[in-house]
Amino acid sequence: MSSRPVRSQSTVSANVKSRLPALVVIIGGLALTGALLRLVEAPLWTVLRAEQPALRLDSTGAAAGQGVTLGLLGGFRAIVADFTWLRLHVLWEQRDLPATDTLLRLVTAVDPRPLYFWVNGARIIAFDMTAWRIAAAGGYDSVPEARQERIGAEQARLAIRRLEEAMTFHPANAALWVERANIELNRLHDVAAAAASYRRAWEQPGGPDYAARLHAELLKRLGRKAEALAWLVQLHPQLPTGDEATEIVLGRIRDLEKDLQVPAARSYRPPPGGPPGAKPGGR
Amino acid sequence: MTRVPFSFTRARLIGQNTLLEASRQKLFSFLLLLALSLVAGAQGFRDFNFGAPELKFLADLGYGAMAFFGAALTVAATAQLFFSEIENRTALTLLAKPVWRAEFILGKYLGIAAVAAVFCVLLTGLLAAVLWAREGSLLTEFPEAFPHGRTLHFADLVAAGYVQWLKLAVLAAFTLLVASFSQTQLYTVVTGFFVLVICHLQYLAQDASARGDSVFARAVAGAIGLLFPNFQLFNLAENVGAGVAVPWDRVAHVSVYALGYVVAAGALAVYSFRKREI
Amino acid sequence: MSAGPSGTPAIELRGLVKDFAVGLRGVKLRAVDHLSLRVEPGQVYGLLGPNGSGKSTTIKIILGLLEPTAGECAVFGVPGGRVEARLAVGYLPESPYFYRHLTGRELVQFYARICGLSGARVPARVAEVIGWVGLTEAADRRIGTYSKGMLQRIGLAQALVHDPRLVILDEPTAGVDPVGAAAISALILNLKAQGKTVLITSHLLAQIEDICDRVAILDRGQLILEGAVRELVGVADRQALVVEPLSPVQLGELRVWLAARGRTLEAVETPRARLDRIFLDHVGRTAPAKREGGP
Ligand SMILES: Nc1ncnc2c1ncn2[C@@H]1O[C@H](COP(=O)(O)OP(=O)(O)OP(=O)(O)O)[C@@H](O)[C@H]1O
Ligand SMILES: [Mg+2]
C-alpha cells in the first residue's frame, strides 16, 4: 500500500480543462466503432435492401425526398399509413372526392409497400369517384349517357396511372396487372388493352391461371381466334393435371378447333402422361 | 490498501434502483398505458373496408406503438433518470461511496434497458393476445382466407418484439452517452431525438457518401454514416403481421450489431463521465 | 478493514488548489487556495468559514467528486479520487436530497448494499442506524414526504450504515431543530468515543466549540487559522463566578476582599439563560436515542 498521493504538483492553470479532448475521443471512438461494425452491417443491409425494392431505399434524384420521409418515419411508417387509411375511409364514406384523392396519394407516399393501398386506391378512383361525379352532376338519370362514359373514362385513366406508379414500386406483380385489365375492360371497354394486361398478369411470377384464360377469351371476343387457339395450346401443358380449370381450357381448345375447322389430324393432343404439372415459377 | 474491484453487484443494485424509480414515476406509467390502450383499442377499428389482412394492420399498430412510444420513453427515461441523479444531487451521495463511475453508468444503463424491456414485453404480450383472439374469430368467419390454419406464430411475434427492444437498447446507450457530457436534461432529450432521426436516415448518408456531388458533401455524409448506427437494419421483422416468418439468423446478426454499438457507446459514456464534476 | 499504519493521518491535504471556470469565457474562480491540512485519526475536526469559503469544495475533493487543480489529497494514505479512498468513509452532503421514490428504510438499505453489506445483516443494521437518528416511526414513508430536518437525519443514517472509520458531515445541523442538533452532537461525540474520525462543517459555532477537538477556519479558500479548540477559545487568565444577587454594599465588601488578595473585580453582569437551553428544557421530548450500543 502506498501512502504517497499520486497526483503530482502541476501548474495551477493546467486545469479549467477544455472539453475538446474528450469530444475528440468520443468522435474517434464512434468512428472506429462505425468502421468495425460496418463489417457486420453491410452484408445484412445489402440483403434487406435488395428484398425491399418497394422501399426505393436510395437517394438518387427525385426519390431522395421520399427516402427522407420514409427513413424518418422508420418503424412508424406502417402505423402512420394505416391511420391515414382509416381517415381516408371516413372521407370515402362522406364521398369527399378531393380529400379522398389527396389521402390516396398520401397513404402510398407514406408507405408504398402494402399492395392493398394501391389496388383499393385504383378501384376507388375508377369506380367510386365516377359514381360520385355523376351523382354530383345530377345523378345517373339526368346526366347524358355520353357524359357518363366520358367521366368513367377519365377516372379510369387516372386509376391506370396510379397502377403504373404502383408498378414502379412493385415490379412483377400480377395483382396490379389484373386490376389494370379489369379497369380497361369494364371502364374503358378497351378489350385489346385488357387482353394484353391479362397476359402480362399471367406472365408475372405467381400470375393466376384465370388471367391466361381471360386473355384467350378476350382475343376470341376480338375475333382473333387463331391467336386465341395458339395461346391456349401453349398454355394447356403448363397447367396442373386433373384440375378443373385444365379441363375447361381443353374444352375451349376443342371449341376453337371446331370454330376454325382445324382438321382432326392437326388438332391439339395433350402431352402423354398428362401435362408436366404446376406451371414453373417464372416464364 | 484494500482493492475495490469493479462489481456487477453494485451495478445491478443501481440498475434495480433505477428501474424502481422509473416504475414509481407517473410519466412512464402514462406512456405505457397509452401504448397499451392503443393496442387494446385497435380491436375497435374493425368496421372499415381494409380489403387486406386485418391482422397485418393490428401488428403494424402494435409494433408501431412500440417503436414510437418506446423511442419517446427511452429518450425521456434516459435523460430523466440520469439527470435526476445529478440535479437532485443523489449522485453526490452515491459516488461518494466506494462506487466506480463505470458501475454507475452501467447501472443506469441496465435500469433503462430494463425499463425498455418491460415496455416491450408488456406490449408484445398484449399484442400477441389481441392478434390471437382476432385471428381466431377471423378463422371462423372467413375460413377460406386461412387455407393452412393460423398464420401467426408466437415465436415470430416475440422475435419482432425483441428486435424492437434491440433498437431501443442502442438508442438508450447513445442517449446516455449524450447525457454523460451534457449539462442539461433538455439538451439531452433534444439531442437524443436528433440522434434517433439521424440513425433512421443513416443509410441515406451512406449512399450520399458513395456518390455525392461535392467532396465536402461526401465527407459530411461519410462522417454521419460512420458515427451513427443504421436503424433501418432493425426493420427486419416488419411483415410478421402478414404471417412472414422472422429469419433467426438475421435476428442473431442484428443482435451482434446492436451489442457492438451498446458496448461502444457505453464505454465512451464511461470515459466522458469519468472525470465529470458532480 | 485494516487500520492504516500508525501515523497515517485520516485526511491529509497538501497544497490543494481548486479553480472553477465560470461563465462562457472560462474566467477562473479559485474556490480552494493552497490548502494544507492534517486530520488525525480519532479526532473531531471542524471546518469553519463564511459562505463560499470553499468548505464543501474541499470535502468534494476529498471524496473524489471533484478533481483538484493542483495539490495532493489522501484519505488514510490512499490518494483521494481512487475508489479505495472512499471505502471507509461515510458522507452526508450539504442540504441533501435522496431518491424521492424510496422510503427511508429502502434508501438506507440501498446504500448498505452498495457499500457491500449483504444478507440477513442488512435489515437489522438498517433498523439500528435509523434508530440512532430517531426516524424509526417515519422509516416506511416515502422520502418525498420528509421535512428538511428528516432529510438530514436519514442522510446521517446512510452515512453511518456501513460503519465507516471516517465520517464527513457537511452542515449536518442545517435545518435541524435544537433537539435534533443536540442529538447529532451527542451522536458525534459517541462516534469519537468509538475512535472514529469526524470531519464536520457547520455555522453553529457554539456546537462546533462543544464537540470539536480541532478546527480550521477558511476564508476565500485560504486557511487563516488552525488549532486545537481549547487553545483557540480558552482565555486562560480569567475566571467567572456565578452567584445569587449581591447588594451594592456586599459588592463593595467583595471588592475589598479581592483587593486584599491583589485582584480586581472587572465586570458584574446578569447572566442570561441561553435560548437553546430553554428550548431544550421545555420541549423535553426525548432526544433521539443513540447512546446504548452506540454506532
Ligand atoms: N461547480 C461550481 N462551479 C463554479 N463555482 C463553484 C462551484 N462549486 C462551488 N463554486 C464556488 O466555489 C466557492 C466555494 O464554494 P463552497 O460550496 O465550497 O463554499 P462553502 O464554504 O461550502 O459555503 P457554504 O457555507 O455556503 O456552504 C464559491 O464561491 C462557489 O461559488
Ligand atoms: Mg458548503
Side-chain angles (χ1 to χ4, degrees):
Chain A
M1 130 166 198
S2 116
S3 63
R4 197 175 56 83
V6 279
R7 216 165 273 117
S8 61
Q9 208 87 22
S10 60
T11 51
V12 166
S13 60
N15 208 278
V16 189
K17 50 183 190 261
S18 120
R19 280 192 282 158
L20 199 64
L23 205 64
V24 169
V25 170
I26 290 177
I27 289 179
L30 285 180
L32 188 69
T33 311
L36 282 176
L37 287 178
R38 185 63 53 86
L39 302 175
V40 180
E41 174 191 355
L44 184 55
W45 181 231
T46 313
V47 175
L48 281 181
R49 167 177 267 188
E51 279 177 7
Q52 304 190 336
L55 264 184
R56 263 195 201 167
L57 287 174
D58 63 55
S59 56
T60 48
Q66 193 161 43
V68 170
T69 321
L70 295 182
L72 260 186
L73 288 170
F76 322 137
R77 193 161 47 221
I79 190 175
V80 171
D82 287 341
F83 273 98
T84 310
W85 189 259
L86 281 182
R87 175 87 192 113
L88 185 144
H89 184 251
V90 173
L91 295 166
W92 174 81
E93 280 181 333
Q94 294 168 354
R95 304 177 148 227
D96 182 341
L97 193 146
T100 306
D101 192 49
T102 308
L103 282 199
L104 276 177
R105 271 173 231 285
L106 182 62
V107 79
T108 49
V110 171
D111 193 352
R113 293 165 305 167
L115 210 58
Y116 56 87
F117 289 158
W118 294 106
V119 171
N120 278 4
R123 282 183 197 161
I124 289 174
I125 293 172
F127 297 90
D128 302 333
M129 286 187 178
T130 304
W132 299 348
R133 284 179 63 183
I134 293 171
Y140 282 95
D141 296 337
S142 57
V143 178
E145 193 91 358
R147 175 108 189 272
Q148 290 185 16
E149 274 302 308
R150 215 172 48 238
I151 292 174
E154 268 172 36
Q155 288 304 125
R157 273 185 213 105
L158 288 175
I160 287 169
R161 212 175 298 155
R162 290 284 298 161
L163 290 173
E164 279 167 352
E165 200 185 326
M167 284 168 196
T168 65
F169 290 98
H170 301 273
N173 187 291
L176 291 174
W177 282 106
V178 168
E179 203 56 40
R180 179 180 178 143
N182 283 343
I183 292 171
E184 283 164 342
L185 185 63
N186 299 319
R187 287 280 132 180
L188 292 176
H189 310 297
D190 184 343
V191 180
S197 294
Y198 278 126
R199 181 174 173 169
R200 293 294 298 271
W202 157 250
E203 283 165 359
Q204 306 309 323
D209 298 341
Y210 70 79
R213 276 185 280 127
L214 282 171
H215 173 64
E217 200 58 41
L218 295 184
L219 287 179
K220 203 168 123 190
R221 207 191 284 178
L222 285 167
R224 290 147 64 176
K225 290 184 179 170
E227 232 177 293
L229 178 60
W231 173 256
L232 288 177
V233 163
Q234 63 85 32
L235 173 69
H236 186 259
Q238 303 182 47
L239 297 179
T241 358
D243 208 77
E244 199 182 336
T246 315
E247 293 311 307
I248 294 174
V249 167
L250 192 58
R252 292 282 148 77
I253 291 174
R254 298 294 172 233
D255 291 347
L256 281 166
E257 282 173 345
K258 203 182 292 170
D259 274 6
L260 294 167
Q261 295 166 347
V262 177
R266 286 178 45 215
S267 73
Y268 171 68
R269 252 178 283 279
K279 67 171 183 173
R283 276 141 290 146
Chain B
M1 169 168 78
T2 322
R3 294 231 159 256
V4 180
F6 182 93
S7 152
F8 279 101
T9 311
R10 279 194 295 267
R12 201 202 63 223
L13 281 167
I14 295 171
Q16 277 173 351
N17 185 43
T18 305
L19 178 61
L20 186 66
E21 178 170 358
S23 72
R24 288 183 184 176
Q25 275 190 3
K26 289 199 185 71
L27 174 66
F28 303 134
S29 331
F30 175 72
L31 276 178
L32 180 64
L33 279 181
L34 207 65
L36 286 174
S37 55
L38 185 68
V39 174
Q43 294 269 53
F45 304 122
R46 208 176 280 170
D47 177 37
F48 58 87
N49 166 26
F50 231 109
E54 189 187 318
L55 297 176
K56 170 86 170 78
F57 170 75
L58 286 176
D60 281 355
L61 195 70
Y63 291 112
M66 215 179 291
F68 182 81
F69 291 108
L73 180 94
T74 302
V75 172
T78 310
Q80 160 69 27
L81 294 171
F82 182 86
F83 278 96
S84 74
E85 292 264 8
I86 304 289
E87 279 163 13
N88 293 339
R89 285 181 281 169
T90 49
L92 209 64
T93 321
L94 186 54
L95 291 172
K97 304 278 183 214
V99 170
W100 291 87
R101 298 248 169 144
E103 290 166 359
F104 179 79
I105 291 288
L106 178 63
K108 282 284 138 193
Y109 181 74
L110 291 178
I112 295 156
V115 171
V118 168
F119 179 81
C120 288
V121 165
L122 287 178
L123 246 72
T124 305
L126 178 68
L127 183 64
V130 166
L131 284 173
W132 193 84
R134 190 66 192 127
E135 195 181 35
S137 55
L138 286 175
L139 215 52
T140 47
E141 262 178 81
F142 311 103
E144 71 280 358
F146 296 87
H148 310 294
R150 289 188 179 270
T151 57
L152 295 177
H153 297 286
F154 192 67
D156 288 330
L157 297 177
V158 170
Y162 165 72
V163 174
Q164 292 284 352
W165 174 76
L166 275 184
K167 187 162 91 172
L168 297 183
V170 175
L171 180 61
F174 269 78
T175 313
L176 195 60
L177 172 58
V178 174
S180 71
F181 59 77
S182 109
Q183 294 298 319
T184 67
Q185 185 171 342
L186 185 64
Y187 176 85
T188 307
V189 170
V190 171
T191 312
F193 278 113
F194 206 63
V195 167
L196 177 69
V197 168
I198 292 180
C199 291
H200 275 121
L201 296 181
Q202 188 258 21
Y203 74 95
L204 290 177
Q206 279 193 45
D207 289 353
S209 77
R211 44 188 147 82
D213 296 335
S214 68
V215 178
F216 178 71
R218 280 193 200 192
V220 170
I224 293 175
L226 206 54
L227 294 179
F228 295 91
N230 179 1
F231 273 10
Q232 301 293 346
L233 225 53
F234 296 91
N235 288 346
L236 53 83
E238 278 200 318
N239 286 320
V240 277
V244 178
V246 181
W248 285 97
D249 55 332
R250 292 188 192 172
V251 172
H253 198 136
V254 82
S255 300
V256 172
Y257 185 66
L259 185 70
Y261 266 108
V262 168
V263 169
L268 291 172
V270 170
Y271 168 80
S272 99
F273 187 67
R274 190 183 43 123
K275 291 271 166 75
R276 183 176 176 139
E277 309 209 313
I278 306 298
Chain C
M1 272 153 261
S2 66
S6 60
T8 307
I11 299 175
E12 184 174 27
L13 309 179
R14 260 187 274 154
L16 205 63
V17 175
K18 180 65 191 176
D19 288 339
F20 287 111
V22 290
L24 284 176
R25 297 192 40 232
V27 181
K28 274 183 252 169
L29 185 146
R30 183 151 295 182
V32 179
D33 195 356
H34 294 96
L35 178 64
S36 300
L37 278 185
R38 253 175 100 91
V39 178
E40 298 300 336
Q43 279 184 344
V44 178
Y45 198 101
L47 209 50
L48 311 180
N51 292 135
S53 55
K55 305 183 295 290
S56 300
T57 305
T58 305
I59 287 177
K60 286 186 190 177
I61 293 172
I62 294 171
L63 291 164
L65 297 168
L66 293 178
E67 217 185 329
T69 307
E72 298 166 349
C73 153
V75 179
F76 293 116
V78 183
R82 301 193 57 140
V83 175
E84 287 82 5
R86 302 196 286 270
L87 208 51
V89 183
Y91 169 52
L92 169 69
E94 65 182 331
S95 45
Y97 274 99
F98 298 105
Y99 302 106
R100 298 168 58 86
H101 65 280
L102 297 180
T103 67
R105 191 184 307 281
E106 285 170 338
L107 181 91
V108 181
Q109 249 165 26
F110 170 68
Y111 284 120
R113 296 215 163 91
I114 284 284
C115 291
L117 271 64
S118 58
R121 297 187 291 149
V122 175
R125 174 68 187 170
V126 167
E128 188 182 22
V129 288
I130 286 179
W132 292 346
V133 298
L135 272 183
T136 305
E137 279 166 38
D140 295 311
R141 267 165 51 189
R142 289 270 176 97
I143 288 182
T145 69
Y146 278 16
S147 72
K148 202 173 164 200
M150 290 163 88
L151 283 175
Q152 291 280 2
R153 289 164 187 237
I154 203 72
L156 209 53
Q158 63 80 27
L160 298 178
V161 72
H162 56 301
D163 194 23
R165 275 193 293 157
L166 169 63
V167 181
I168 298 179
L169 307 173
D170 200 349
E171 301 192 24
T173 47
V176 178
D177 61 47
V179 179
I184 289 175
S185 292
L187 192 63
I188 291 169
L189 288 176
N190 205 333
L191 290 170
K192 176 183 157 70
Q194 293 171 54
K196 313 276 187 207
T197 314
V198 180
L199 179 69
I200 179 172
T201 77
S202 176
H203 293 291
L204 290 185
L205 296 182
Q207 186 193 26
I208 290 282
E209 189 183 322
D210 288 346
I211 59 173
C212 288
D213 302 313
R214 285 183 85 80
V215 293
I217 299 179
L218 301 185
D219 190 21
R220 295 189 207 166
Q222 289 175 328
L223 181 67
I224 54 170
L225 192 65
E226 206 262 357
V229 175
R230 249 180 299 110
E231 294 161 15
L232 292 176
V233 302
V235 184
D237 57 351
R238 290 290 183 279
Q239 254 181 335
L241 310 174
V242 180
V243 294
E244 284 166 24
L246 299 173
S247 69
V249 176
Q250 289 170 317
L251 264 180
E253 287 170 11
L254 182 60
R255 282 208 173 86
V256 171
W257 187 85
L258 286 169
R261 282 154 188 83
R263 300 280 192 274
T264 47
L265 183 64
E266 286 182 355
V268 179
E269 289 167 355
T270 310
R272 292 168 52 169
R274 276 164 64 178
L275 203 49
D276 57 348
R277 198 62 251 161
I278 299 176
F279 186 96
L280 285 182
D281 288 345
H282 285 75
V283 186
R285 258 189 314 188
T286 41
K290 66 264 148 199
R291 282 139 294 253
E292 288 70 31

